[in-house]
Amino acid sequence: MIAMMSPGSADAPGLPAGECPVAGTPDSPPGADRCEDRLARVALMRMAEAGDPVMGRLIRAYGPHGALGQARRGVLAPEFVAAEEAVAPRRRTDLDRLAASWAARYADPAADLAQGEERGARLVIPGDAEWPTQLDDLGDTRPFGLWLDGRANLRLSCLRSVAIVGARAATPYGTTVAADLAHGLGSRGWSVVSGGAYGIDGAAHRGALAVRTPTVVVLACGTDVCYPSAHEELFRAVRGRGVVVSEWPPGSHPTRLRFLVRNRVIAALSRGTVVVQAAVRSGALNTAAHASGLNRHLMAVPGPITSEASAGCHVLIRQGKAVCVTSVEEIVELVGSIGDDLAPEQRGQARPHDALNDETRRVLEAIPARGAAGPAAIAVAAGVDLTTALGCLGGLAAAGFVEAADRGWRLRRRG
Amino acid sequence: MIAMMSPGSADAPGLPAGECPVAGTPDSPPGADRCEDRLARVALMRMAEAGDPVMGRLIRAYGPHGALGQARRGVLAPEFVAAEEAVAPRRRTDLDRLAASWAARYADPAADLAQGEERGARLVIPGDAEWPTQLDDLGDTRPFGLWLDGRANLRLSCLRSVAIVGARAATPYGTTVAADLAHGLGSRGWSVVSGGAYGIDGAAHRGALAVRTPTVVVLACGTDVCYPSAHEELFRAVRGRGVVVSEWPPGSHPTRLRFLVRNRVIAALSRGTVVVQAAVRSGALNTAAHASGLNRHLMAVPGPITSEASAGCHVLIRQGKAVCVTSVEEIVELVGSIGDDLAPEQRGQARPHDALNDETRRVLEAIPARGAAGPAAIAVAAGVDLTTALGCLGGLAAAGFVEAADRGWRLRRRG
């Protein structure tokens, strides 16, 4: 398989990267166009910051190839600059500097494609069969392309998926809950999307892998960079059954900014985001904000109020931003199709005495919690006549609720 | 002090119980009237089930003395029966049986008053200075009277009070939270109302007593009956600084029905109810329902979703019936006066780099999480020119964020 082909993109041209001309004409055949777009997007993924909305709008206005032409020159078309100034008033010099920084970061996309292929990754871009179209909801900040490494088809894996996110510094309660929820979602045919960090992220993927469900790791570095390095084994397992995703070129290292930028992809890929544990200020709440902004379902798992690790979840619940969820059923009820996946209402176990009629129940209630009472006293306490009380007591004794005692009737202790 | 006098009811007549005529005329002087009402209510507290709305309406229609006359005869006035049938269609025989059961339970109220006095309790009835007028919100199910035992004035204690309720089978998490919340409320001048059970109830009172705040125990048995018996020491401490409350005559034993009936008083006495832990089906949720029905604030404390003991709290939060609360401040914000008691918003600690300007922050973010990078690479990654990058790096080094390394600049590890 070549680097630029994805398992699901049978309609993508089969040209090796080296045969794609970087420059093309409007009359070039569709296959060549597509190939050109692909190379242009690879170049732009290195030149612009992931999620840069200015680049997003440049691509929308001029196509990937046209955008690349301007970015390489470091000079933007005057009408684009005018449109940008209308979108967000800014100093002309800011746009000039942005374009200059793009130009400074240009590198041969064919080399990136070759390097990606060599390291086992494939590129998918908008229009490919494997492209998850729900990313289009990101508008101007939609990824320019995605590098994928793993056996699963990203688009199919994310059709019914839930993001499970939370703190790196999770407690055993948090990792247990994350793994259990992922496990339960996997058992019900839902896949999991998360980052690749310690704590909640890792536990969620492990829970999903335990039921052999495709799980999606979205990284803030190249798919070939193992961060954190202790997750090498985990990422290998994910590649075997799920897929590792990145919008950065092979070899890219993570930065704090990239983790935050990456979070919008986690939120956009899935139908809803569950925050399992999060401090009041944490990256997980950033993902949560993206989920809300994208009109995805936002859910939070409550925890002990004595634990800082759940404080962010409680803030989301208190502010009405997240729905409090306590089980897989409740999650599936939210993200699932209406009518298909309704959560069973939490109910206590029905107790035998629910079946008693009002009169009999009042007689039962009138029997003291400790000691015994005579039938006349019970009748008075229950507000029924003696004959009624005696009838009820007989029935209650037969049903095992009460028993005769030295001084009347008493409750029968179970066990 | 005589039994019928409460510390706060200086306006009540000082006649000993024995001198109160049970029968009276419309022309009897106010003092005698009051005394008569008092005796009549004591009799009715034994004859009717606490909270019986039919008796509540009978008292409203005929006054305590008039209601007692009909109840002793076991015969209700025809116009009252007609009105009852209009309120709630029922078989005539039901009302006849109810009245007959009242008559059957009559006992000399002077004896009850004497017994209460002997056992250290005092009676308060509507109109007394110590009567908590918020109980009037209970309408037809308002208690006929209350027996009190303890140094605190019930009305004053409940002016700023919060009910803390929950499971008997509480976990250590639940009892810790109950005690902490009660302690915190007491420190802020709020008193606590609860039952007398093991688990959450007991922990709440202990937390309140630890800051020497009046705490209110509402029992489902006579104030002289210690249930559960292991709480004898606790109830003694409550009588010393707070008050023990009951709507049943001295010597009455608890029944399951009485616990449920009692719960409405806990909810009505306080400005809001906090459910600390509750199984999906539990008495605490009954108190919660009363609180909602009375338009009191209903709050629930979240907990681990792995614990059945918090499942009822989560149901209340999920259904939007209760506000999720995680601290004393959040409780006080709800039940307190607007503007007076606003909870501080939960915020993470501000981090030093919040103060950096955008350009400097981007330079900081561009430095790899691991290893070092040269200033040119950092400038490109940050999208700034080299001069700007060098300027920012100098500032960041001075502020302790970064340090020079063999091959450029790296993040400075703290500690």
Side-chain angles (χ1 to χ4, degrees):
Chain A
M1 177 185 298
I2 60 166
M4 51 187 284
M5 290 282 294
S6 76
S9 62
D11 53 350
L15 294 177
E19 295 179 27
C20 276
V22 174
T25 69
D27 302 316
S28 59
D33 259 3
R34 191 102 192 102
C35 184
E36 198 173 81
D37 279 3
R38 189 170 292 275
L39 278 173
R41 285 183 175 273
V42 170
L44 295 173
M45 285 167 79
R46 188 171 284 282
M47 295 162 77
E49 271 303 325
D52 182 340
V54 180
M55 178 55 83
R57 287 189 288 270
L58 193 68
I59 294 174
R60 197 174 59 195
Y62 301 97
H65 184 66
L68 177 59
Q70 296 185 41
R72 281 197 70 174
R73 284 193 301 277
V75 179
L76 300 172
E79 62 274 20
F80 181 78
V81 171
E84 278 299 299
E85 280 167 344
V87 168
R90 71 183 86 206
R91 287 172 306 162
R92 174 68 185 253
T93 50
D94 286 347
L95 279 177
D96 288 346
R97 288 169 76 173
L98 185 62
S101 78
W102 290 341
R105 296 208 271 186
Y106 175 80
D108 178 15
D112 268 350
L113 269 176
Q115 189 181 357
E117 173 187 7
E118 184 187 302
R119 299 188 182 181
R122 62 188 181 271
L123 179 79
V124 298
I125 63 169
D128 282 349
E130 197 178 356
W131 182 258
T133 50
Q134 62 268 41
L135 291 181
D136 299 352
D137 294 351
L138 288 168
D140 293 336
T141 70
R142 184 179 73 168
F144 312 131
L146 290 174
W147 284 99
L148 309 183
D149 188 1
R151 287 194 179 172
N153 178 297
L154 178 65
R155 191 173 69 80
L156 298 183
S157 300
C158 292
L159 276 183
R160 277 166 65 95
S161 69
V162 174
I164 295 186
V165 302
R168 280 192 302 275
T171 67
Y173 165 67
T175 52
T176 303
V177 166
D180 282 356
L181 293 180
H183 190 282
L185 285 167
S187 313
R188 285 162 183 77
W190 287 81
S191 51
V192 166
V193 179
S194 190
Y198 293 129
I200 301 299
D201 292 12
H205 294 303
R206 287 194 179 93
L209 289 169
V211 279
R212 301 165 171 273
T213 198
T215 192
V216 179
V217 175
V218 186
L219 294 177
C221 53
T223 56
D224 57 335
V225 175
C226 185
Y227 183 87
S229 52
H231 273 177
E232 196 176 334
E233 195 66 43
L234 175 66
F235 293 167
R236 186 175 305 130
V238 171
R239 287 193 296 267
R241 192 162 286 281
V243 60
V244 172
V245 180
S246 170
E247 50 183 324
W248 286 277
S252 301
H253 281 267
T255 64
R256 189 195 305 276
L257 189 63
R258 286 179 177 170
F259 284 112
L260 296 176
V261 165
R262 179 272 320 260
N263 290 340
R264 82 195 193 293
V265 176
I266 293 177
L269 280 176
S270 51
R271 286 214 217 162
T273 291
V274 179
V275 184
V276 175
Q277 273 191 328
V280 170
R281 180 164 185 158
S282 70
L285 296 191
N286 172 261
T287 313
H290 283 300
S292 291
L294 290 164
N295 285 319
R296 304 289 196 266
H297 294 285
L298 179 58
M299 297 156 271
V301 175
I305 63 172
T306 46
S307 162
E308 286 296 323
S310 289
C313 296
H314 296 149
V315 169
L316 290 175
I317 293 169
R318 277 179 53 77
Q319 294 177 337
K321 289 182 182 163
V323 174
C324 169
V325 290
T326 67
S327 68
V328 172
E329 288 76 16
E330 292 168 1
I331 294 170
V332 169
E333 184 187 43
L334 264 189
V335 298
S337 313
I338 292 170
D340 252 13
D341 304 294
L342 282 182
E345 201 184 335
Q346 282 261 36
R347 295 201 51 178
Q349 213 183 336
R351 291 179 187 171
H353 73 254
D354 290 345
L356 302 180
N357 67 30
D358 266 11
E359 209 157 55
T360 311
R361 195 180 312 172
R362 291 196 70 188
V363 168
L364 180 60
E365 309 284 14
I367 296 170
R370 289 184 299 188
I378 292 171
V380 166
V384 300
D385 58 50
L386 185 60
T387 317
T388 307
L390 284 170
C392 293
L393 285 166
L396 287 168
F401 287 102
V402 302
E403 58 193 2
D406 288 348
R407 289 165 40 204
W409 296 83
R410 68 176 172 217
L411 293 176
R412 186 161 162 186
R413 307 290 167 197
R414 290 201 182 75
Chain B
M1 177 183 298
I2 59 168
M4 51 188 286
M5 290 282 293
S6 77
S9 62
D11 52 350
L15 294 177
E19 295 181 27
C20 276
V22 173
T25 70
D27 303 315
S28 59
D33 259 1
R34 192 101 193 104
C35 184
E36 198 173 80
D37 279 1
R38 189 170 293 273
L39 278 172
R41 284 182 175 273
V42 170
L44 294 173
M45 284 166 79
R46 187 170 283 282
M47 294 163 78
E49 271 303 325
D52 182 339
V54 181
M55 177 56 83
R57 287 189 288 270
L58 193 69
I59 294 174
R60 196 174 61 195
Y62 301 97
H65 184 65
L68 177 59
Q70 296 184 40
R72 280 197 70 176
R73 283 193 301 277
V75 178
L76 301 172
E79 63 274 18
F80 181 77
V81 172
E84 277 299 300
E85 281 167 344
V87 168
R90 72 183 86 207
R91 288 172 306 161
R92 173 69 185 255
T93 50
D94 286 349
L95 279 178
D96 287 346
R97 288 169 75 175
L98 186 62
S101 78
W102 290 341
R105 297 207 270 185
Y106 176 79
D108 179 15
D112 268 352
L113 270 177
Q115 188 181 359
E117 173 188 7
E118 185 186 300
R119 299 187 181 182
R122 63 188 181 271
L123 179 80
V124 298
I125 63 170
D128 283 349
E130 198 178 358
W131 181 259
T133 50
Q134 62 268 41
L135 291 181
D136 299 352
D137 294 350
L138 289 168
D140 294 336
T141 69
R142 183 179 74 169
F144 312 131
L146 290 174
W147 284 99
L148 309 183
D149 187 2
R151 286 194 179 173
N153 178 296
L154 179 65
R155 191 174 69 80
L156 298 183
S157 299
C158 292
L159 276 182
R160 278 165 65 96
S161 70
V162 174
I164 294 185
V165 302
R168 280 191 301 275
T171 68
Y173 165 67
T175 52
T176 303
V177 166
D180 282 356
L181 293 180
H183 189 282
L185 286 167
S187 314
R188 285 162 183 77
W190 287 82
S191 52
V192 166
V193 180
S194 190
Y198 292 129
I200 300 300
D201 292 12
H205 294 303
R206 288 195 179 91
L209 289 169
V211 278
R212 301 167 171 274
T213 197
T215 192
V216 178
V217 175
V218 186
L219 294 178
C221 52
T223 56
D224 57 335
V225 175
C226 184
Y227 183 87
S229 52
H231 273 177
E232 195 177 333
E233 195 66 44
L234 175 66
F235 293 167
R236 186 176 304 130
V238 170
R239 286 193 296 267
R241 191 163 286 281
V243 61
V244 172
V245 180
S246 170
E247 48 182 325
W248 286 277
S252 300
H253 281 268
T255 64
R256 190 195 304 277
L257 188 65
R258 286 179 176 170
F259 284 112
L260 297 176
V261 165
R262 178 274 320 260
N263 290 341
R264 82 195 194 292
V265 176
I266 293 177
L269 279 175
S270 52
R271 286 215 218 163
T273 291
V274 180
V275 184
V276 175
Q277 272 191 330
V280 170
R281 180 163 186 160
S282 69
L285 296 190
N286 171 261
T287 313
H290 283 301
S292 291
L294 290 164
N295 285 319
R296 304 291 197 265
H297 295 285
L298 179 58
M299 297 155 272
V301 175
I305 63 172
T306 46
S307 162
E308 287 296 324
S310 289
C313 296
H314 296 149
V315 169
L316 289 175
I317 293 169
R318 277 178 53 77
Q319 294 177 338
K321 288 182 181 162
V323 173
C324 170
V325 290
T326 67
S327 68
V328 172
E329 289 74 16
E330 291 169 1
I331 294 170
V332 169
E333 184 187 42
L334 264 190
V335 298
S337 314
I338 293 169
D340 252 14
D341 304 293
L342 283 182
E345 201 184 335
Q346 283 261 36
R347 295 201 51 176
Q349 213 183 335
R351 292 178 187 173
H353 73 254
D354 290 345
L356 302 179
N357 67 29
D358 266 11
E359 210 157 53
T360 311
R361 195 180 312 174
R362 291 196 71 186
V363 169
L364 179 60
E365 309 283 14
I367 295 170
R370 290 183 299 188
I378 292 171
V380 167
V384 300
D385 58 49
L386 185 59
T387 319
T388 307
L390 285 169
C392 293
L393 284 166
L396 286 167
F401 288 101
V402 302
E403 58 193 1
D406 287 349
R407 290 166 39 205
W409 296 83
R410 67 174 174 216
L411 292 176
R412 185 162 162 185
R413 307 290 169 198
R414 291 203 181 74

